[in-house]
Amino acid sequence: MSIVRFTLYYLLFSLVLAVIAYFLPSAFPGVVVLAKKFWVVFGFLAGITFIAYIVADLGIKRNPEVGIMAIMGSIALKMIFSMAFVLIYSLNSKEKGMVFVLNFFSLYLLFSFFEIYCLLRNLRHQNK
């Protein structure tokens, strides 16, 4: 999958997630569903996932034999930056922790699943 094609799919996936997140509070009135700075978290995870995919894709294209190591390295970097983000956000925020935790990890997992699916799809095409 080319970078341009991934970018189009990724923007569509991010748009679908954003629309769902936008309408989620109206589906559950009276319940705090999103953290106060949800869109900051969304933007951070969307950006870091895109960067991690680009890094992994460049690693796979540069040396296909170590493609899995490039994928694992990009995922590890994404996790380290995400943990730093959670630490900084938690120190600067005075809101309920459980809402933020659910928001963060649901987005983290959704973006990670999409990234890994696309990367493994690239590896599948190289093995043929």
Side-chain angles (χ1 to χ4, degrees):
M1 179 182 306
S2 69
I3 299 290
V4 174
R5 191 171 178 186
F6 171 77
T7 303
L8 290 174
Y9 286 149
Y10 188 69
L11 289 175
L12 181 65
F13 178 75
S14 297
L15 181 66
V16 168
L17 286 181
V19 167
I20 291 170
Y22 182 77
F23 288 111
L24 203 58
S26 62
F28 299 102
V31 178
V32 178
V33 180
L34 300 179
K36 289 181 183 175
K37 295 190 179 182
F38 173 80
W39 296 109
V40 173
V41 175
F42 186 89
F44 171 78
L45 286 173
I48 198 74
T49 301
F50 187 76
I51 292 169
Y53 177 86
I54 299 297
V55 168
D57 190 55
L58 290 174
I60 291 169
K61 288 180 180 172
R62 180 173 280 177
N63 190 356
E65 294 176 3
V66 293
I68 297 298
M69 295 304 287
I71 292 172
M72 296 303 287
S74 71
I75 291 172
L77 284 175
K78 179 180 168 186
M79 187 180 301
I80 290 169
F81 281 113
S82 295
M83 288 188 317
F85 179 82
V86 168
L87 177 66
I88 292 168
Y89 186 90
S90 297
L91 292 175
N92 292 329
S93 178
K94 303 292 184 224
E95 64 180 289
K96 281 184 171 178
M98 189 54 105
V99 174
F100 171 72
V101 167
L102 290 174
N103 288 174
F104 182 84
F105 285 110
S106 62
L107 286 174
Y108 182 86
L109 290 174
L110 287 169
F111 280 122
S112 293
F113 288 151
F114 185 79
E115 174 194 8
I116 291 169
Y117 172 76
C118 291
L119 287 169
L120 291 177
R121 196 169 164 199
N122 283 349
L123 287 176
R124 181 177 53 205
H125 289 301
Q126 286 181 354
N127 289 336
K128 289 183 179 181

